[in-house]
Structures are given as C-alpha cells and as structure tokens.
Amino acid sequence: MYVDFSLLPDNSRVWVYQADRSFTGDEVQQITQQLMPFVENWKRHGEDLKASFQIRYNQFIILAVDENVTNVSGCSIDASVHIIQELQKKLEVDLLNKMNVTFKDGDNVNIVSMAAFKEFAKLNKITSNTLVFNNMIASKAELEASWEVKASESWHAKFLK
C-alpha cells in the first residue's frame, strides 16, 4: 500500500539505489510510473507493505517500508530488487553497483568509482568537508540525518588524509 514518504515513521526501513548518471525528466516520469503500482501492490506473503519511494537529485531511488505494520521478507526484498533490475535494463543505467561513490561539488552530484574516489582523497580533491552520500543507511531517520553528510562523518573518512 503506497503512502506519502513524509508519512512514514522515522524507523521505516530504507534502501538507496544510486544511478551511475542523472535521470532525465522523462526517465523520472517512467520510474514513477513503474514504481507507483509496484509499491501500491508490494506484499510480504500476501500482506500489504506500507511503503513509499522517492527520487532525489534525479540520481537516487529510495524505497521505504514501515516495518511497524509488516516486516519485509526475503521474497519482498527480492521483488524490489527485481523492479530495480527492470528499471536498469529499461533505462540503460546502473543502479546496483555498490563500488561507485557519490559526492557533491557545490550543487553538482558526482559519481565516481571507488578507486577514483580514493585517488581524489589522496590528491586532496575530496576533503573532510566534502558532502558525500552514505548509501549504507538503513532507516528513514538515518536518511534524513546521515545520508548526505561531510566525508569526515561517514565511512568515507577512512580514505581521507
């Protein structure tokens, strides 16, 4: 059952999928048209999941489930990964590569390989104050407080000088 993202409690479980490029306006519409019915009908062993999604910065797809109502299961998680894989194929975009790192340079969102990120940190192009996206977060509260943070406040800190 789809609910507005803002209505989900802070302890809702989230999954962040980052694209290896920005989505176009048309692609954002396509993603929304495909995710809305998926989330509306997303189930765990026949039980409705109270769920939502957001697209942020035209580069991140965020799925969320209120587990106070119904916990997700392996099958329901598999279903969400399947829809993400369908979007990857349809849009010719990589949404599942966990070895890419995303950071901000002013208003620009940049995505680079882990190796490039390490090199940028070594060259001091990435500093402790660089805003990074910590896609390892697991809850809506973490999304709001710890997703977009200074590199020094994230797992990214281990690569800084």
Side-chain angles (χ1 to χ4, degrees):
M1 145 187 41
Y2 175 83
V3 296
D4 189 89
F5 200 90
S6 66
L7 299 177
L8 291 172
D10 286 344
N11 66 340
S12 295
R13 190 163 171 192
V14 300
W15 295 266
V16 178
Y17 298 95
Q18 70 181 4
D20 61 351
R21 62 169 175 78
S22 293
F23 302 126
T24 66
D26 286 345
E27 288 173 332
V28 168
Q29 286 183 329
Q30 288 177 52
I31 293 165
T32 300
Q33 288 170 352
Q34 196 159 348
L35 285 181
M36 186 60 78
F38 169 77
V39 171
E40 183 64 42
N41 297 296
W42 198 5
K43 298 190 183 312
R44 176 196 177 266
H45 302 295
E47 294 180 71
D48 283 339
L49 293 173
K50 186 177 177 183
S52 194
F53 70 93
Q54 285 187 333
I55 301 168
R56 292 195 183 179
Y57 294 106
N58 288 339
Q59 194 144 358
F60 299 92
I61 298 172
I62 302 165
L63 294 176
V65 172
D66 179 356
E67 289 193 304
N68 296 319
V69 176
T70 307
N71 287 331
V72 294
S73 67
C75 293
S76 53
I77 293 170
D78 287 349
S80 69
V81 171
H82 181 73
I83 194 83
I84 294 297
Q85 289 171 326
E86 286 178 16
L87 288 167
Q88 271 192 148
K89 188 174 182 179
K90 182 177 184 178
L91 303 175
E92 297 179 354
V93 63
D94 189 348
L95 293 163
L96 295 169
N97 186 346
K98 303 294 185 196
M99 296 305 291
N100 286 335
V101 180
T102 313
F103 64 95
K104 283 178 91 174
D105 176 17
D107 290 334
N108 297 320
V109 175
N110 301 286
I111 187 163
V112 296
S113 68
M114 182 75 71
F117 185 85
K118 289 178 186 178
E119 187 62 26
F120 288 167
K122 191 188 309 183
L123 297 172
N124 218 28
K125 292 180 179 179
I126 302 280
T127 68
S128 61
N129 290 322
T130 301
L131 290 179
V132 295
F133 294 89
N134 178 9
N135 297 327
M136 305 288 277
I137 51 101
S139 71
K140 183 181 172 193
E142 289 178 327
L143 177 70
E144 301 309 328
S146 311
W147 177 55
E148 189 175 336
V149 295
K150 292 180 180 180
S152 61
E153 299 170 11
S154 177
W155 63 267
H156 301 82
K158 65 184 175 184
F159 302 119
L160 303 175
K161 282 185 162 184

